[in-house]
Coordinates of all heavy atoms in Angstrom, one line a residue:
M1 N 8.9 -8.3 -3.9 CA 7.6 -7.9 -4.4 C 7.6 -6.7 -5.3 O 6.8 -6.6 -6.2 CB 6.7 -7.5 -3.2 CG 6.3 -8.6 -2.3 SD 5.3 -9.9 -3.1 CE 3.7 -9.1 -3.2
A2 N 8.6 -5.8 -5.1 CA 8.5 -4.5 -5.9 C 8.6 -4.8 -7.5 O 7.9 -4.1 -8.2 CB 9.6 -3.6 -5.5
P3 N 9.4 -5.7 -7.9 CA 9.5 -5.9 -9.4 C 8.2 -6.3 -10.0 O 7.7 -5.9 -11.0 CB 10.6 -6.9 -9.6 CG 11.4 -6.8 -8.4 CD 10.5 -6.5 -7.3
L4 N 7.5 -7.2 -9.2 CA 6.2 -7.6 -9.7 C 5.2 -6.5 -9.7 O 4.4 -6.3 -10.7 CB 5.6 -8.7 -8.7 CG 4.3 -9.3 -9.1 CD1 4.5 -10.2 -10.4 CD2 3.8 -10.3 -8.0
E5 N 5.2 -5.6 -8.7 CA 4.3 -4.5 -8.7 C 4.6 -3.5 -9.9 O 3.7 -3.0 -10.5 CB 4.4 -3.7 -7.4 CG 3.7 -4.4 -6.3 CD 4.2 -3.9 -4.9 OE1 4.8 -2.9 -4.9 OE2 3.9 -4.6 -3.9
R6 N 5.9 -3.3 -10.1 CA 6.2 -2.4 -11.2 C 5.7 -3.0 -12.5 O 5.2 -2.2 -13.3 CB 7.7 -2.2 -11.3 CG 8.2 -1.1 -10.4 CD 9.5 -0.5 -10.9 NE 10.6 -1.4 -10.9 CZ 11.3 -1.7 -9.8 NH1 10.9 -1.1 -8.6 NH2 12.3 -2.5 -9.8
S7 N 5.8 -4.3 -12.7 CA 5.3 -4.8 -14.0 C 3.8 -4.7 -14.1 O 3.2 -4.4 -15.1 CB 5.8 -6.2 -14.3 OG 5.5 -7.0 -13.2
A8 N 3.1 -4.8 -12.9 CA 1.6 -4.6 -12.9 C 1.3 -3.2 -13.4 O 0.4 -2.9 -14.2 CB 1.0 -4.8 -11.5
W9 N 2.1 -2.2 -12.9 CA 1.9 -0.8 -13.3 C 2.1 -0.7 -14.8 O 1.3 0.0 -15.5 CB 2.8 0.1 -12.5 CG 2.6 1.5 -12.8 CD1 1.6 2.3 -12.3 CD2 3.2 2.3 -13.9 NE1 1.7 3.6 -12.9 CE2 2.6 3.6 -13.9 CE3 4.3 2.0 -14.8 CZ2 3.0 4.6 -14.8 CZ3 4.6 3.0 -15.7 CH2 4.0 4.3 -15.7
W10 N 3.1 -1.3 -15.3 CA 3.4 -1.1 -16.8 C 2.3 -1.7 -17.6 O 2.0 -1.3 -18.7 CB 4.7 -1.8 -17.1 CG 6.0 -1.0 -16.7 CD1 6.9 -1.4 -15.8 CD2 6.3 0.3 -17.2 NE1 7.9 -0.4 -15.7 CE2 7.6 0.6 -16.6 CE3 5.8 1.2 -18.2 CZ2 8.2 1.8 -16.8 CZ3 6.5 2.4 -18.4 CH2 7.7 2.7 -17.7
L11 N 1.7 -2.7 -17.1 CA 0.6 -3.4 -17.8 C -0.7 -2.6 -17.6 O -1.8 -3.0 -18.2 CB 0.4 -4.8 -17.3 CG 1.5 -5.8 -17.7 CD1 1.3 -7.1 -16.9 CD2 1.5 -6.0 -19.2
G12 N -0.7 -1.5 -16.9 CA -1.9 -0.7 -16.7 C -2.9 -1.3 -15.6 O -4.0 -0.9 -15.5
I13 N -2.4 -2.2 -14.8 CA -3.2 -2.8 -13.7 C -3.1 -1.8 -12.6 O -2.0 -1.3 -12.2 CB -2.7 -4.2 -13.3 CG1 -2.8 -5.1 -14.5 CG2 -3.4 -4.7 -12.1 CD1 -2.1 -6.4 -14.4
K14 N -4.2 -1.5 -12.0 CA -4.2 -0.6 -10.8 C -3.5 -1.2 -9.7 O -3.7 -2.3 -9.3 CB -5.7 -0.2 -10.4 CG -6.5 0.4 -11.5 CD -6.0 1.8 -11.9 CE -6.9 2.4 -12.9 NZ -6.3 3.6 -13.6
V15 N -2.6 -0.4 -9.1 CA -1.7 -1.0 -8.1 C -2.2 -0.8 -6.6 O -1.6 -1.3 -5.7 CB -0.2 -0.4 -8.2 CG1 0.4 -1.1 -9.4 CG2 -0.3 1.1 -8.3
F16 N -3.4 -0.1 -6.5 CA -4.1 -0.1 -5.2 C -5.5 0.2 -5.5 O -5.9 0.4 -6.7 CB -3.5 1.0 -4.3 CG -3.5 2.4 -4.8 CD1 -4.6 3.2 -4.7 CD2 -2.4 2.9 -5.5 CE1 -4.7 4.5 -5.2 CE2 -2.4 4.2 -6.0 CZ -3.5 5.0 -5.9
S17 N -6.4 0.0 -4.5 CA -7.8 0.2 -4.7 C -8.4 1.2 -3.8 O -7.7 1.7 -2.9 CB -8.5 -1.2 -4.4 OG -8.4 -1.4 -3.0
E18 N -9.6 1.6 -4.0 CA -10.3 2.5 -3.2 C -10.4 2.0 -1.7 O -10.3 2.8 -0.8 CB -11.7 2.8 -3.7 CG -12.3 4.0 -3.2 CD -13.6 4.4 -3.9 OE1 -13.6 4.4 -5.2 OE2 -14.6 4.7 -3.2
D19 N -10.5 0.7 -1.6 CA -10.5 0.2 -0.2 C -9.2 0.4 0.5 O -9.2 0.7 1.7 CB -10.7 -1.4 -0.2 CG -12.2 -1.7 -0.6 OD1 -13.0 -0.8 -0.5 OD2 -12.5 -2.9 -0.8
D20 N -8.1 0.3 -0.2 CA -6.8 0.6 0.4 C -6.8 2.1 0.9 O -6.3 2.4 2.0 CB -5.6 0.5 -0.6 CG -5.4 -1.0 -1.0 OD1 -5.7 -1.9 -0.2 OD2 -5.1 -1.2 -2.2
L21 N -7.3 3.0 0.0 CA -7.3 4.4 0.4 C -8.2 4.6 1.6 O -7.8 5.4 2.5 CB -7.8 5.3 -0.8 CG -6.9 5.3 -2.0 CD1 -7.6 6.1 -3.1 CD2 -5.5 5.9 -1.7
E22 N -9.3 4.0 1.7 CA -10.2 4.1 2.8 C -9.5 3.6 4.1 O -9.7 4.2 5.1 CB -11.5 3.4 2.6 CG -12.5 3.7 3.7 CD -13.9 3.1 3.5 OE1 -14.2 2.8 2.3 OE2 -14.6 2.9 4.4
Q23 N -8.8 2.5 4.0 CA -8.2 2.0 5.2 C -7.1 2.9 5.7 O -6.9 3.1 6.9 CB -7.5 0.7 4.8 CG -8.4 -0.5 5.2 CD -7.7 -1.8 5.0 OE1 -6.5 -1.9 4.7 NE2 -8.4 -2.9 5.2
L24 N -6.4 3.5 4.7 CA -5.3 4.4 5.1 C -5.8 5.8 5.7 O -5.2 6.3 6.6 CB -4.3 4.7 3.9 CG -3.5 3.4 3.5 CD1 -3.1 3.6 2.1 CD2 -2.3 3.3 4.4
A25 N -6.8 6.3 5.0 CA -7.2 7.7 5.3 C -8.4 7.8 6.2 O -8.7 8.8 6.9 CB -7.4 8.4 4.0
G26 N -9.3 6.7 6.2 CA -10.5 6.7 6.9 C -11.7 7.2 6.0 O -11.4 7.9 5.0
R27 N -12.9 6.8 6.4 CA -14.0 7.1 5.6 C -14.3 8.6 5.4 O -14.6 9.1 4.3 CB -15.2 6.5 6.3 CG -16.5 6.7 5.6 CD -17.1 5.4 5.0 NE -17.7 5.6 3.8 CZ -17.5 5.0 2.7 NH1 -16.7 4.0 2.6 NH2 -18.1 5.3 1.6
D28 N -14.1 9.4 6.4 CA -14.4 10.9 6.3 C -13.5 11.6 5.3 O -13.9 12.4 4.5 CB -14.2 11.6 7.7 CG -15.3 11.2 8.6 OD1 -16.3 10.5 8.2 OD2 -15.2 11.6 9.8
R29 N -12.2 11.2 5.4 CA -11.3 11.8 4.4 C -11.6 11.4 3.0 O -11.4 12.2 2.1 CB -9.9 11.5 4.8 CG -9.4 12.5 5.8 CD -7.9 12.4 6.0 NE -7.5 13.4 7.0 CZ -6.4 13.3 7.7 NH1 -5.5 12.3 7.5 NH2 -6.1 14.2 8.6
L30 N -11.9 10.1 2.9 CA -12.2 9.6 1.5 C -13.4 10.4 0.9 O -13.3 10.8 -0.2 CB -12.6 8.1 1.6 CG -12.7 7.4 0.3 CD1 -11.3 7.1 -0.3 CD2 -13.5 6.2 0.4
E31 N -14.4 10.7 1.8 CA -15.6 11.5 1.3 C -15.2 12.9 0.9 O -15.6 13.4 -0.1 CB -16.7 11.4 2.3 CG -17.3 10.1 2.5 CD -17.8 9.4 1.2 OE1 -18.2 10.1 0.2 OE2 -17.7 8.1 1.1
R32 N -14.3 13.5 1.8 CA -13.9 14.9 1.4 C -13.1 14.9 0.2 O -13.1 15.8 -0.6 CB -13.1 15.5 2.6 CG -14.0 16.4 3.5 CD -13.1 17.0 4.6 NE -12.8 15.9 5.6 CZ -11.7 16.0 6.3 NH1 -10.8 17.0 6.2 NH2 -11.4 15.0 7.2
A33 N -12.2 13.9 0.0 CA -11.3 13.8 -1.1 C -12.1 13.7 -2.4 O -11.8 14.2 -3.4 CB -10.4 12.6 -1.0
R34 N -13.3 13.0 -2.4 CA -14.1 12.8 -3.6 C -14.5 14.2 -4.1 O -14.6 14.3 -5.4 CB -15.4 12.0 -3.2 CG -15.5 10.7 -3.8 CD -16.8 10.1 -3.5 NE -16.7 9.0 -2.6 CZ -16.2 7.8 -2.9 NH1 -15.8 7.6 -4.1 NH2 -16.1 6.9 -2.0
L35 N -14.7 15.1 -3.3 CA -15.1 16.5 -3.7 C -14.0 17.2 -4.4 O -14.2 18.2 -5.1 CB -15.7 17.3 -2.5 CG -16.8 16.6 -1.7 CD1 -17.1 17.5 -0.5 CD2 -18.0 16.5 -2.6
L36 N -12.8 16.8 -4.2 CA -11.6 17.5 -4.7 C -11.1 16.9 -6.0 O -10.3 17.5 -6.7 CB -10.5 17.5 -3.7 CG -10.7 18.2 -2.4 CD1 -9.6 17.9 -1.4 CD2 -10.7 19.7 -2.7
V37 N -11.6 15.7 -6.4 CA -11.1 15.0 -7.5 C -11.2 15.9 -8.8 O -10.2 15.9 -9.6 CB -11.8 13.6 -7.7 CG1 -11.4 13.0 -9.0 CG2 -11.5 12.7 -6.6
D38 N -12.3 16.6 -9.0 CA -12.5 17.3 -10.2 C -11.6 18.6 -10.3 O -11.6 19.2 -11.3 CB -14.0 17.8 -10.3 CG -14.9 16.6 -10.6 OD1 -14.4 15.6 -11.1 OD2 -16.1 16.8 -10.4
T39 N -11.0 18.9 -9.2 CA -10.1 20.1 -9.2 C -8.7 19.8 -9.6 O -7.8 20.7 -9.6 CB -10.1 20.8 -7.8 OG1 -9.3 20.0 -6.9 CG2 -11.5 20.9 -7.2
I40 N -8.4 18.5 -9.8 CA -7.0 18.2 -10.0 C -6.5 18.5 -11.4 O -7.1 18.1 -12.4 CB -6.8 16.7 -9.7 CG1 -7.1 16.4 -8.2 CG2 -5.4 16.2 -10.1 CD1 -7.0 15.0 -7.8
D41 N -5.4 19.1 -11.5 CA -4.6 19.4 -12.7 C -3.5 18.5 -12.8 O -2.9 18.1 -11.8 CB -4.0 20.8 -12.6 CG -4.9 21.9 -12.9 OD1 -5.9 21.6 -13.5 OD2 -4.5 23.1 -12.7
D42 N -3.0 18.3 -14.0 CA -1.7 17.7 -14.2 C -1.5 16.4 -13.6 O -0.5 16.2 -12.9 CB -0.6 18.7 -13.7 CG -0.7 20.1 -14.1 OD1 -1.2 20.3 -15.2 OD2 -0.3 21.0 -13.4
L43 N -2.5 15.5 -13.6 CA -2.2 14.2 -13.0 C -1.1 13.6 -13.8 O -1.1 13.5 -15.1 CB -3.5 13.3 -13.1 CG -3.3 12.0 -12.2 CD1 -3.5 12.4 -10.7 CD2 -4.3 11.0 -12.6
Y44 N -0.1 13.1 -13.1 CA 1.1 12.5 -13.7 C 1.4 11.3 -13.0 O 1.3 11.2 -11.8 CB 2.2 13.6 -13.6 CG 3.6 13.0 -14.0 CD1 4.0 12.9 -15.3 CD2 4.4 12.5 -13.0 CE1 5.2 12.4 -15.6 CE2 5.7 12.0 -13.3 CZ 6.1 11.9 -14.6 OH 7.3 11.4 -14.9
Q45 N 1.8 10.2 -13.7 CA 2.2 9.0 -13.1 C 3.5 8.4 -13.7 O 3.7 8.6 -14.9 CB 1.1 8.0 -13.0 CG 0.4 7.8 -14.3 CD -0.7 6.7 -14.2 OE1 -0.4 5.6 -13.9 NE2 -1.9 7.1 -14.4
D46 N 4.3 7.8 -12.9 CA 5.4 7.0 -13.4 C 5.4 5.7 -12.6 O 4.5 5.5 -11.9 CB 6.7 7.8 -13.4 CG 7.1 8.2 -12.0 OD1 6.7 7.5 -11.0 OD2 7.9 9.1 -11.9
E47 N 6.5 5.0 -12.8 CA 6.5 3.7 -12.1 C 6.7 3.7 -10.6 O 6.5 2.7 -10.0 CB 7.5 2.7 -12.8 CG 8.9 3.0 -12.4 CD 9.7 3.7 -13.6 OE1 9.2 4.8 -14.0 OE2 10.8 3.3 -13.9
W48 N 6.9 4.9 -10.1 CA 7.1 5.1 -8.6 C 5.9 5.8 -8.0 O 5.5 5.4 -6.9 CB 8.3 5.8 -8.3 CG 9.5 5.4 -9.0 CD1 10.2 5.9 -10.0 CD2 10.3 4.1 -8.7 NE1 11.3 5.2 -10.4 CE2 11.3 4.1 -9.6 CE3 10.1 3.1 -7.8 CZ2 12.2 3.0 -9.6 CZ3 11.0 2.1 -7.8 CH2 12.1 2.0 -8.7
S49 N 5.4 6.8 -8.6 CA 4.5 7.7 -8.0 C 3.4 8.2 -8.9 O 3.5 8.2 -10.1 CB 5.2 9.0 -7.5 OG 6.3 8.6 -6.7
I50 N 2.3 8.7 -8.3 CA 1.3 9.4 -9.0 C 1.2 10.8 -8.3 O 1.2 10.9 -7.1 CB -0.1 8.7 -8.8 CG1 0.0 7.3 -9.4 CG2 -1.2 9.5 -9.4 CD1 -0.8 6.3 -8.6
C51 N 1.2 11.8 -9.1 CA 1.1 13.1 -8.5 C 0.2 14.0 -9.3 O -0.1 13.8 -10.4 CB 2.4 13.8 -8.2 SG 3.4 14.1 -9.6
G52 N -0.3 15.0 -8.6 CA -1.2 16.0 -9.2 C -1.4 17.2 -8.3 O -1.0 17.2 -7.2
T53 N -1.8 18.3 -8.9 CA -2.1 19.5 -8.2 C -3.6 19.6 -7.8 O -4.4 19.6 -8.7 CB -1.7 20.8 -9.0 OG1 -0.3 20.6 -9.4 CG2 -1.8 22.0 -8.2
V54 N -3.8 19.6 -6.5 CA -5.2 19.7 -6.0 C -5.5 21.1 -5.6 O -4.8 21.7 -4.8 CB -5.3 18.7 -4.8 CG1 -6.8 18.7 -4.3 CG2 -4.8 17.3 -5.1
H55 N -6.6 21.6 -6.2 CA -7.0 23.0 -5.9 C -8.0 23.0 -4.7 O -9.2 22.9 -5.0 CB -7.6 23.7 -7.1 CG -6.5 23.8 -8.2 ND1 -5.7 25.0 -8.3 CD2 -6.0 23.0 -9.1 CE1 -4.9 24.8 -9.3 NE2 -5.0 23.6 -9.8
D56 N -7.5 23.2 -3.5 CA -8.4 23.3 -2.3 C -8.4 24.8 -2.1 O -8.6 25.6 -3.0 CB -7.8 22.5 -1.2 CG -8.7 22.2 -0.1 OD1 -9.9 22.6 -0.2 OD2 -8.3 21.6 0.9
D57 N -8.2 25.2 -0.8 CA -8.2 26.7 -0.6 C -7.0 27.3 -1.3 O -7.0 28.5 -1.7 CB -8.1 27.0 0.9 CG -7.0 26.2 1.7 OD1 -6.7 25.1 1.2 OD2 -6.4 26.8 2.6
K58 N -5.9 26.5 -1.5 CA -4.8 26.9 -2.4 C -4.4 25.6 -3.2 O -4.9 24.5 -2.9 CB -3.6 27.2 -1.5 CG -3.7 28.4 -0.6 CD -2.3 28.9 -0.1 CE -1.6 27.8 0.6 NZ -0.4 28.3 1.4
P59 N -3.6 25.8 -4.2 CA -3.2 24.6 -4.9 C -2.1 23.8 -4.2 O -1.2 24.5 -3.7 CB -2.6 25.1 -6.3 CG -2.5 26.6 -6.1 CD -3.2 27.0 -4.9
Y60 N -2.3 22.5 -4.0 CA -1.3 21.7 -3.3 C -0.8 20.6 -4.2 O -1.7 19.9 -4.8 CB -1.9 21.1 -2.0 CG -2.3 22.1 -1.0 CD1 -3.6 22.3 -0.7 CD2 -1.4 22.9 -0.3 CE1 -4.0 23.2 0.3 CE2 -1.7 23.8 0.6 CZ -3.1 24.0 0.9 OH -3.4 24.9 1.8
L61 N 0.5 20.4 -4.2 CA 1.0 19.3 -5.0 C 1.0 18.1 -4.1 O 1.6 18.1 -3.0 CB 2.4 19.6 -5.4 CG 3.1 18.5 -6.2 CD1 2.4 18.2 -7.6 CD2 4.6 18.8 -6.4
A62 N 0.3 17.0 -4.5 CA 0.1 15.8 -3.6 C 0.6 14.6 -4.4 O 0.5 14.6 -5.7 CB -1.3 15.6 -3.2
M63 N 1.2 13.7 -3.7 CA 1.8 12.5 -4.3 C 1.5 11.2 -3.6 O 1.5 11.2 -2.4 CB 3.3 12.6 -4.2 CG 4.0 13.1 -5.4 SD 5.8 13.0 -5.1 CE 6.1 14.7 -5.5
V64 N 1.2 10.2 -4.4 CA 1.1 8.8 -3.8 C 2.3 8.0 -4.3 O 2.5 8.0 -5.5 CB -0.2 8.1 -4.2 CG1 -0.3 6.7 -3.6 CG2 -1.4 9.0 -3.7
H65 N 3.0 7.4 -3.4 CA 4.1 6.5 -3.9 C 3.6 5.1 -3.8 O 3.3 4.6 -2.8 CB 5.3 6.7 -2.9 CG 5.8 8.1 -2.8 ND1 6.3 8.8 -3.9 CD2 5.9 8.9 -1.8 CE1 6.7 10.0 -3.5 NE2 6.4 10.1 -2.3
H66 N 3.4 4.5 -5.0 CA 2.7 3.3 -5.1 C 3.6 2.0 -5.1 O 3.1 0.9 -5.2 CB 1.7 3.3 -6.3 CG 2.4 3.4 -7.6 ND1 3.1 2.4 -8.2 CD2 2.4 4.5 -8.5 CE1 3.5 2.8 -9.4 NE2 3.1 4.1 -9.6
V67 N 4.9 2.2 -5.0 CA 5.8 1.0 -5.0 C 6.0 0.6 -3.6 O 6.4 1.4 -2.8 CB 7.1 1.3 -5.8 CG1 8.0 0.1 -5.6 CG2 6.8 1.6 -7.2
G68 N 5.7 -0.6 -3.3 CA 6.0 -1.2 -2.0 C 4.8 -1.1 -1.1 O 3.8 -0.4 -1.4
H69 N 4.8 -1.8 0.1 CA 3.8 -1.8 1.1 C 4.4 -1.3 2.4 O 5.5 -1.8 2.7 CB 3.2 -3.2 1.2 CG 2.4 -3.6 0.0 ND1 1.2 -3.1 -0.3 CD2 2.7 -4.5 -0.9 CE1 0.7 -3.6 -1.4 NE2 1.7 -4.5 -1.8
P70 N 3.8 -0.5 3.2 CA 2.5 0.2 2.8 C 2.7 1.2 1.7 O 3.9 1.6 1.5 CB 2.0 0.8 4.1 CG 3.3 1.0 4.9 CD 4.2 0.0 4.5
L71 N 1.7 1.7 1.1 CA 1.8 2.8 0.2 C 2.3 4.1 0.9 O 2.1 4.2 2.1 CB 0.4 3.2 -0.4 CG -0.3 2.2 -1.2 CD1 -1.8 2.5 -1.3 CD2 0.4 2.1 -2.6
G72 N 3.0 4.9 0.2 CA 3.5 6.1 0.9 C 2.9 7.4 0.2 O 2.3 7.2 -0.9
C73 N 3.0 8.5 0.9 CA 2.4 9.7 0.3 C 3.1 10.9 0.8 O 3.8 10.9 1.8 CB 0.9 9.8 0.6 SG 0.6 9.9 2.3
E74 N 2.9 12.0 0.0 CA 3.4 13.3 0.4 C 2.5 14.4 -0.1 O 1.9 14.3 -1.1 CB 4.8 13.6 -0.3 CG 6.0 13.0 0.3 CD 7.2 13.3 -0.6 OE1 7.5 14.4 -0.9 OE2 7.8 12.3 -1.1
C75 N 2.4 15.5 0.7 CA 1.5 16.6 0.3 C 2.2 17.9 0.8 O 2.8 17.8 1.9 CB 0.1 16.5 0.8 SG -1.0 17.8 0.2
A76 N 2.0 19.0 0.1 CA 2.5 20.2 0.5 C 1.6 21.0 1.5 O 2.0 22.1 1.9 CB 2.8 21.1 -0.7
C77 N 0.5 20.5 1.9 CA -0.4 21.3 2.7 C 0.0 21.2 4.2 O 0.9 20.4 4.5 CB -1.9 20.7 2.5 SG -2.2 19.2 3.4
P78 N -0.6 22.0 5.0 CA -0.2 22.0 6.5 C -0.4 20.7 7.2 O 0.3 20.4 8.1 CB -1.1 23.1 7.1 CG -1.5 24.0 5.9 CD -1.6 23.1 4.7
D79 N -1.4 19.9 6.7 CA -1.6 18.6 7.3 C -0.7 17.5 6.7 O -0.8 16.4 7.1 CB -3.0 18.1 7.1 CG -4.0 19.0 7.7 OD1 -3.7 19.6 8.8 OD2 -5.2 19.1 7.2
G80 N 0.1 17.9 5.8 CA 0.8 16.9 5.0 C 2.1 16.5 5.5 O 3.1 16.6 4.8
D81 N 2.2 16.0 6.7 CA 3.4 15.4 7.2 C 3.7 14.2 6.3 O 2.7 13.5 5.9 CB 3.2 14.9 8.6 CG 3.0 16.0 9.6 OD1 3.5 17.1 9.3 OD2 2.2 15.8 10.6
P82 N 4.9 13.8 6.1 CA 5.2 12.7 5.3 C 4.5 11.5 5.9 O 4.5 11.2 7.1 CB 6.7 12.5 5.4 CG 7.2 13.8 5.8 CD 6.2 14.5 6.6
G83 N 3.8 10.8 5.0 CA 3.0 9.6 5.4 C 1.7 9.9 6.0 O 1.0 8.9 6.4
S84 N 1.2 11.1 6.0 CA -0.1 11.5 6.5 C -1.1 11.5 5.3 O -0.8 12.3 4.4 CB 0.0 12.8 7.3 OG -1.3 13.4 7.3
W85 N -2.1 10.8 5.4 CA -3.1 10.7 4.3 C -4.1 11.8 4.3 O -5.3 11.6 4.7 CB -3.7 9.3 4.2 CG -2.7 8.3 3.8 CD1 -1.7 7.7 4.6 CD2 -2.4 7.8 2.5 NE1 -0.9 6.9 3.8 CE2 -1.3 7.0 2.6 CE3 -3.1 8.0 1.3 CZ2 -0.8 6.3 1.4 CZ3 -2.6 7.4 0.1 CH2 -1.5 6.6 0.2
C86 N -3.7 13.0 3.9 CA -4.7 14.1 3.9 C -5.6 13.9 2.7 O -5.3 13.1 1.8 CB -3.9 15.4 3.8 SG -3.0 15.6 2.3
E87 N -6.6 14.7 2.6 CA -7.6 14.5 1.5 C -7.0 14.8 0.2 O -7.5 14.3 -0.8 CB -8.9 15.4 1.8 CG -8.7 16.8 2.0 CD -8.6 17.2 3.5 OE1 -8.0 16.4 4.3 OE2 -9.2 18.2 3.9
H88 N -5.9 15.6 0.1 CA -5.3 15.9 -1.2 C -4.7 14.6 -1.8 O -4.8 14.3 -3.0 CB -4.3 17.0 -1.1 CG -4.8 18.2 -0.3 ND1 -4.3 18.6 0.9 CD2 -5.9 19.0 -0.6 CE1 -5.0 19.7 1.3 NE2 -6.0 19.9 0.4
V89 N -3.9 13.9 -1.0 CA -3.3 12.7 -1.5 C -4.4 11.7 -1.9 O -4.3 11.0 -2.9 CB -2.4 12.0 -0.4 CG1 -1.1 11.7 -1.1 CG2 -2.1 12.8 0.8
V90 N -5.4 11.6 -1.0 CA -6.5 10.6 -1.3 C -7.2 11.0 -2.6 O -7.5 10.2 -3.5 CB -7.5 10.6 -0.1 CG1 -8.6 9.6 -0.5 CG2 -6.8 10.1 1.1
A91 N -7.4 12.3 -2.8 CA -8.0 12.8 -4.1 C -7.1 12.4 -5.3 O -7.7 12.0 -6.3 CB -8.2 14.3 -4.1
V92 N -5.8 12.5 -5.2 CA -4.9 12.1 -6.3 C -5.1 10.6 -6.5 O -5.2 10.2 -7.7 CB -3.5 12.5 -6.0 CG1 -2.5 11.8 -6.9 CG2 -3.3 14.0 -6.1
G93 N -5.2 9.8 -5.5 CA -5.4 8.4 -5.6 C -6.7 8.1 -6.3 O -6.8 7.2 -7.2
L94 N -7.8 8.8 -5.9 CA -9.1 8.5 -6.5 C -9.1 8.9 -8.0 O -9.7 8.2 -8.8 CB -10.2 9.3 -5.8 CG -10.5 8.8 -4.4 CD1 -11.5 9.8 -3.7 CD2 -11.2 7.5 -4.4
C95 N -8.4 10.0 -8.3 CA -8.3 10.5 -9.7 C -7.6 9.4 -10.5 O -8.1 9.1 -11.6 CB -7.6 11.8 -9.7 SG -7.6 12.7 -11.2
Y96 N -6.6 8.9 -10.0 CA -5.9 7.8 -10.7 C -6.8 6.6 -10.9 O -6.9 6.0 -12.0 CB -4.6 7.4 -9.9 CG -4.1 6.0 -10.2 CD1 -3.3 5.8 -11.3 CD2 -4.3 5.0 -9.2 CE1 -2.8 4.5 -11.5 CE2 -3.7 3.8 -9.4 CZ -3.0 3.5 -10.5 OH -2.5 2.3 -10.7
L97 N -7.6 6.2 -9.9 CA -8.4 5.1 -10.0 C -9.6 5.3 -11.0 O -10.1 4.4 -11.6 CB -9.0 4.7 -8.6 CG -8.0 4.1 -7.6 CD1 -8.6 4.0 -6.3 CD2 -7.5 2.8 -8.1
D98 N -10.0 6.6 -11.1 CA -11.1 6.9 -12.1 C -10.6 6.9 -13.5 O -11.5 6.9 -14.4 CB -11.6 8.4 -11.8 CG -12.5 8.4 -10.6 OD1 -12.8 7.3 -10.1 OD2 -12.8 9.5 -10.1
E99 N -9.4 6.9 -13.7 CA -8.9 6.9 -15.1 C -9.2 5.5 -15.8 O -9.0 4.5 -15.1 CB -7.4 7.1 -15.2 CG -7.0 8.5 -15.0 CD -5.5 8.7 -15.5 OE1 -4.8 7.7 -15.3 OE2 -5.2 9.8 -16.0
A100 N -9.5 5.6 -17.0 CA -9.8 4.3 -17.7 C -8.6 3.4 -17.8 O -7.5 4.0 -17.9 CB -10.4 4.6 -19.1
Ligands
ZN201 ZN1 -2.7 17.7 1.7

């Protein structure tokens, strides 16, 4: 599956949806994440990951790894155990989805 997903990324096709984020993080976190989208600096993406700096109480570098299922994520915040979908990672995901 991974090569197909990578080519979808290269073609500019979104590799996950807001529904995926809601399933992973839950409705409450999705709503909190929405408020953080405008604070994101330096959104960066490559064929493996999307990352950005989210300015919450402090700036946190958050990442979504979009290759493979399930999606993976990382965040530098205190809630950011590997694979834990905190609002920062979800915000980075939403910011990516908002891009044209
Ligand atoms: Zn976080």
Side-chain angles (χ1 to χ4, degrees):
M1 291 298 282
L4 184 66
E5 285 162 14
R6 273 207 292 282
S7 53
W9 184 84
W10 283 116
L11 292 168
I13 296 166
K14 300 296 183 192
V15 285
F16 57 86
S17 69
E18 197 169 313
D19 286 348
D20 293 328
L21 295 176
E22 184 175 341
Q23 263 185 9
L24 289 158
R27 179 110 218 131
D28 289 354
R29 273 191 181 161
L30 190 79
E31 293 305 328
R32 262 182 291 152
R34 245 186 252 289
L35 305 174
L36 293 169
V37 172
D38 288 342
T39 74
I40 295 176
D41 273 349
D42 308 331
L43 191 77
Y44 168 84
Q45 45 177 300
D46 62 19
E47 74 256 54
W48 309 107
S49 306
I50 298 145
C51 61
T53 305
V54 184
H55 295 267
D56 196 1
D57 53 327
K58 296 195 302 191
Y60 296 113
L61 180 66
M63 256 184 237
V64 177
H65 303 297
H66 61 70
V67 172
H69 291 287
L71 296 165
C73 63
E74 279 175 56
C75 181
C77 77
D79 297 333
D81 297 328
S84 154
W85 288 80
C86 64
E87 52 265 42
H88 311 117
V89 228
V90 178
V92 164
L94 288 172
C95 189
Y96 157 78
L97 291 171
D98 284 349
E99 282 197 329

